Amino acid sequence: MAEENNKKQSNFIKQIIDEDLAGGRFDRVHTRFPPEPNGYLHIGHAKSICLNFGLAEEYNGKCNLRFDDTNPLKEDREYIDAIIEDVHWLGFDWEDRLFFASDYFEQMYQYAVQLIKMGKAYVDDLSAEEIKEYRGTLTKPGKESPYRNRSVEENLDLFERMRKGEFKDGEKVLRAKIDMKSGNLNMRDPVMYRIIHASHPRTGNKWCIYPMYDWAHGLEDSIERITHSICTLEFEDHRPLYDWFLDQLGVFHPRQIEFARLNLTYTVMSKRKLLRLVEEGYVSGWDDPRMPTIAGMRRRGYSPEAIRDFADRIGVAKANSVVDFALLEHCVRDDLNKRAERRMVVLNPLKVIIDNYPDDQVEELEAENNPEDANAGTRTVPFSKIIYIEREDFREEAPRKWFRLAPGKEVRLKHAYYITCNEVIKDENGQIVELHCTYDPQSRGGWTQDGRKVKGTLHWVSAAQAIPVEVRLYEHLFLKENPEEVEEGQDFTANINPNSLKIIKTALAEPGLKEAKPGQRFQFLRQGYFCADLKDHSAEHPVFNRTVTLRDSWARIEKKLK
Ligand code: ATP
Ligand code: MG
């Protein structure tokens, strides 16, 4: 199959790795996934995880999980635990290689001292605003700080005192001494350390100076002897700086390769924005099933297999683009179709009385669990005189080509019998309250010897045995394909879809769903794939999230493209 081929297909990253191995630059492949624990992982991170762990697997190499925990102001233990859970759940294993950038703080400090001694770094007293102003722009060269030419001795002394806590936040920084006129703004004496008197989740109050990302990141890769440091495109302009640091220090030098980050329609991906959605109450938390987080998708019912398949299909590229959300949903359906057992649940019930069915009889009818999987076996569902069908499946005045139930029409009840509608009962407001039907006892199992045609097949539940369940239906969290497309003065929250969550409290399910376990996935016939909620579901109060509908818009899009 096409997907199988894709997996082994080459891409520009593998070509670079192949060249490095053939040319002898490296004799092994060692990658890493380096999240900052300042939020939950999202589907974009999943792409990076699949890529980094996938390459290690393919080249018989290794992949580290490393927390880039260099900013104590934004980072939290909760995020560390969630990230560990999510990467494991996706199906990847870092063995004993779980690392923290904060474990390298002492070594980074020593490297900084080394640069100071070489005359390549200095302590600056300019304020943050002044540094920004002195930095210049793309068209205007930067200006050198008046503190730039402090002696090595003075810099060593001041840097040590910075570490000891003698100065307040923002009073001093350590900067690399490179070139204030460089065409690359990243090379204009970037800040390496800033003073933050804050407790760190792992190092506590041991440090009050913290390394900047651009100083720390390349060193972390070097210390772990990462061969291929794979990152997103926005770091391309930072590469000369990472190269400069590593070359000055003469330490192990990984190769950095940049690829385009994943963007998805109807989705915001930056952690800063996801945090706003959580903090401002637009969603119930990081794991809200509408969130593009791995925790949210897990709760929604997406499988790790589907997410990994998605990552394979989108591949890696050097140019930014936006992937259609429908492709992700297509991967989810594709996977769940093969393994989700079928069940019958009526969301909006309409009572049907089968007049010619014996009053107290209950039949246990056999129903296949999954037509796509011969090993999935069968179950039984009770059938009796009073059943419920979906209100939507009945029309008093049926339009042309209406194959569902209507007065005088015959339909098939899935796994059961043919029924014909004879009478519609309404209340004083004209609302339909029940239907009277007759069944054909010869049609048990859904066919008759005379071979007469019945086009519509409806799902149903038996009234006496059905159990009430709560069903949560979701739409995209944003109304626009590009949530950032807003009027002046608005931000992405203006595009939030007010109908992204619909809670259905009327639903009735076949009794076997009593046994559903949190996280278990099903196809509810004709309604979509559903997952028992990981947090709120219990046998007493069953709750199912709709993972995805059955309609595959991607298949249509793909057809059009061909
Ligand atoms: P965000 O911008 O969403 O806040 P980030 O890049 O700040 O994400 P990190 O924790 O620093 O988040 O990211 C860890 C790794 O995941 C990095 O290597 C980063 O390049 C990668 N990554 C983040 N977002 C995406 C994305 N949308 N597509 C692919 N890779 C991503
Ligand atoms: Mg980041």
Side-chain angles (χ1 to χ4, degrees):
M1 269 185 55
E3 300 146 54
E4 277 308 308
N5 296 336
N6 275 344
K7 267 183 201 160
K8 293 289 153 204
Q9 244 172 43
S10 191
N11 59 44
F12 79 95
I13 297 181
K14 290 188 202 173
Q15 278 166 17
I16 295 172
I17 295 178
D18 289 339
E19 280 164 28
D20 282 348
L21 295 174
R25 175 162 175 177
F26 300 113
D27 60 1
R28 66 204 164 84
V29 172
H30 199 151
T31 57
R32 85 289 177 261
F33 173 64
E36 184 183 356
N38 60 350
Y40 279 56
L41 298 181
H42 53 58
I43 183 77
H45 293 116
K47 171 178 177 171
S48 175
I49 293 166
C50 292
L51 179 61
N52 280 295
F53 281 94
L55 285 169
E57 228 166 78
E58 214 173 309
Y59 285 90
N60 229 336
K62 291 177 177 158
C63 181
N64 298 355
L65 175 61
R66 180 210 311 144
F67 286 98
D68 210 329
D69 56 345
T70 51
N71 182 359
L73 298 178
K74 289 199 196 147
E75 296 161 7
D76 202 273
R77 183 74 224 182
E78 178 197 346
Y79 298 138
I80 294 177
D81 295 339
I83 289 169
I84 287 177
E85 184 184 357
D86 288 348
V87 182
H88 259 151
W89 179 79
L90 274 177
F92 298 106
D93 182 17
W94 48 88
E95 296 169 326
D96 57 351
R97 295 179 311 281
L98 172 62
F99 298 122
F100 291 85
S102 54
D103 289 343
Y104 312 140
F105 280 171
E106 182 61 38
Q107 186 159 6
M108 289 177 191
Y109 180 85
Q110 295 306 331
Y111 281 141
V113 167
Q114 196 179 325
L115 283 190
I116 294 173
K117 286 182 177 161
M118 293 163 69
K120 301 283 184 184
Y122 62 97
V123 173
D124 196 355
D125 296 6
L126 291 184
S127 67
E129 297 81 60
E130 286 167 326
I131 289 177
K132 209 170 147 202
E133 197 187 305
Y134 276 54
R135 198 162 170 239
T137 62
L138 277 176
T139 50
K140 200 174 106 204
K143 210 164 77 180
E144 293 187 356
S145 162
Y147 305 97
R148 196 175 196 260
N149 294 313
R150 279 176 162 153
S151 69
V152 169
E153 289 68 37
E154 189 181 2
N155 281 319
L156 284 174
D157 174 59
L158 288 173
F159 188 47
E160 196 184 333
R161 288 164 57 197
M162 277 170 67
R163 175 182 185 166
K164 281 188 183 148
E166 288 187 24
F167 307 109
K168 291 202 274 297
D169 287 10
E171 234 173 79
K172 290 190 168 27
V173 292
L174 184 75
R175 298 178 71 176
K177 195 170 180 176
I178 309 178
D179 178 7
M180 289 307 291
K181 297 194 172 51
S182 172
N184 183 339
L185 280 112
N186 296 309
M187 302 298 274
R188 293 186 187 171
D189 291 11
V191 173
M192 296 164 58
Y193 277 93
R194 62 216 194 287
I195 301 171
I196 306 176
H197 289 274
S199 169
H200 183 282
R202 284 180 52 88
T203 58
N205 294 317
K206 182 163 180 222
W207 295 89
C208 63
I209 55 171
Y210 289 94
M212 298 297 288
Y213 183 88
D214 277 349
W215 162 242
H217 197 82
L219 293 179
E220 295 159 24
D221 286 338
S222 173
I223 291 167
E224 291 175 17
R225 303 185 79 76
I226 298 303
T227 57
H228 296 88
S229 168
I230 298 167
C231 62
T232 41
L233 284 181
E234 66 272 23
F235 293 104
E236 198 162 9
D237 288 347
H238 299 238
R239 175 151 40 94
L241 175 58
Y242 303 162
D243 287 344
W244 187 88
F245 282 135
L246 298 173
D247 289 343
Q248 295 300 321
L249 295 167
V251 292
F252 181 80
H253 201 140
R255 179 195 287 280
Q256 174 170 312
I257 307 171
E258 304 88 10
F259 71 101
R261 64 197 296 120
L262 169 67
N263 299 299
L264 264 184
T265 56
Y266 300 103
T267 307
V268 298
M269 206 84 94
S270 109
K271 279 184 279 190
R272 197 172 46 78
K273 291 181 184 144
L274 297 179
L275 180 63
R276 276 197 57 196
L277 292 174
V278 173
E279 285 188 333
E280 295 173 25
Y282 292 108
V283 295
S284 63
W286 284 97
D287 64 352
D288 186 298
R290 292 166 291 178
M291 289 283 271
T293 51
I294 297 178
M297 292 182 168
R298 171 167 62 237
R299 212 175 145 190
R300 178 85 171 252
Y302 288 21
S303 62
E305 291 82 357
I307 294 175
R308 294 203 305 262
D309 178 32
F310 173 70
D312 279 340
R313 291 198 206 200
I314 56 177
V316 286
K318 205 61 194 170
N320 279 312
S321 65
V322 184
V323 174
D324 201 314
F325 200 93
L327 175 60
L328 176 58
E329 294 196 320
H330 175 77
C331 295
V332 172
R333 278 188 201 97
D334 215 38
D335 181 48
L336 296 185
N337 183 38
K338 284 177 261 173
R339 55 214 194 91
E341 290 196 359
R342 275 53 169 171
R343 295 290 184 270
M344 294 198 284
V345 177
V346 174
L347 301 188
N348 186 11
L350 173 61
K351 193 183 207 176
V352 172
I353 299 162
I354 302 167
D355 292 320
N356 62 337
Y357 195 85
D359 281 352
D360 299 321
Q361 182 171 305
V362 180
E363 280 178 277
E364 290 292 335
L365 301 176
E366 190 174 44
E368 64 186 341
N369 283 328
N370 186 352
E372 301 293 320
D373 177 5
N375 296 321
T378 59
R379 68 188 186 285
T380 59
V381 284
F383 185 81
S384 65
K385 187 180 182 80
I386 303 176
I387 62 166
Y388 288 103
I389 63 166
E390 209 69 66
R391 197 165 270 277
E392 268 181 24
D393 283 338
F394 178 78
R395 290 265 183 100
E396 208 174 2
E397 287 179 41
R400 257 163 40 86
K401 298 216 172 179
W402 177 260
F403 300 125
R404 296 179 249 172
L405 202 57
K409 289 242 175 174
E410 185 171 49
V411 296
R412 176 188 296 110
L413 295 176
K414 184 77 179 173
H415 306 306
Y417 294 98
Y418 291 0
I419 57 167
T420 303
C421 176
N422 305 310
E423 197 188 351
V424 182
I425 310 286
K426 296 180 183 173
D427 64 13
E428 61 272 24
N429 304 317
Q431 262 269 15
I432 299 174
V433 288
E434 62 187 44
L435 305 177
H436 283 263
C437 297
T438 45
Y439 86 119
D440 176 357
Q442 303 299 317
S443 63
R444 188 179 157 131
W447 62 283
T448 56
Q449 281 201 334
D450 64 12
R452 71 178 184 274
K453 277 210 179 110
V454 169
K455 277 207 173 148
T457 301
L458 310 186
H459 62 280
W460 53 274
V461 293
S462 171
Q465 296 81 14
I467 57 165
V469 297
E470 179 178 324
V471 167
R472 299 174 183 171
L473 305 180
Y474 301 97
E475 288 177 12
H476 290 307
L477 189 51
F478 293 95
L479 292 164
K480 289 196 181 151
E481 265 195 35
N482 175 8
E484 307 290 350
E485 194 185 296
V486 289
E487 312 261 303
E488 231 188 278
Q490 297 182 323
D491 67 19
F492 69 101
T493 57
N495 284 326
I496 289 198
N497 176 3
N499 301 316
S500 58
L501 167 63
K502 191 168 155 198
I503 299 179
I504 309 246
K505 302 247 187 196
T506 51
L508 293 171
E510 60 175 85
L513 276 174
K514 266 201 296 278
E515 320 298 330
K517 297 279 169 291
Q520 200 174 349
R521 305 182 187 94
F522 300 95
Q523 183 192 107
F524 292 173
L525 289 183
R526 302 173 66 225
Q527 299 289 6
Y529 293 98
F530 289 76
C531 177
D533 191 72
L534 282 166
K535 272 192 174 161
D536 302 337
H537 173 89
S538 65
E540 298 72 43
H541 180 66
V543 179
F544 294 94
N545 298 314
R546 179 149 72 189
T547 311
V548 65
T549 60
L550 296 176
R551 281 186 308 276
D552 192 337
S553 47
W554 177 252
R556 274 207 313 276
I557 294 167
E558 210 173 24
K559 223 176 185 172
K560 256 194 256 161
L561 293 177
K562 273 181 190 159

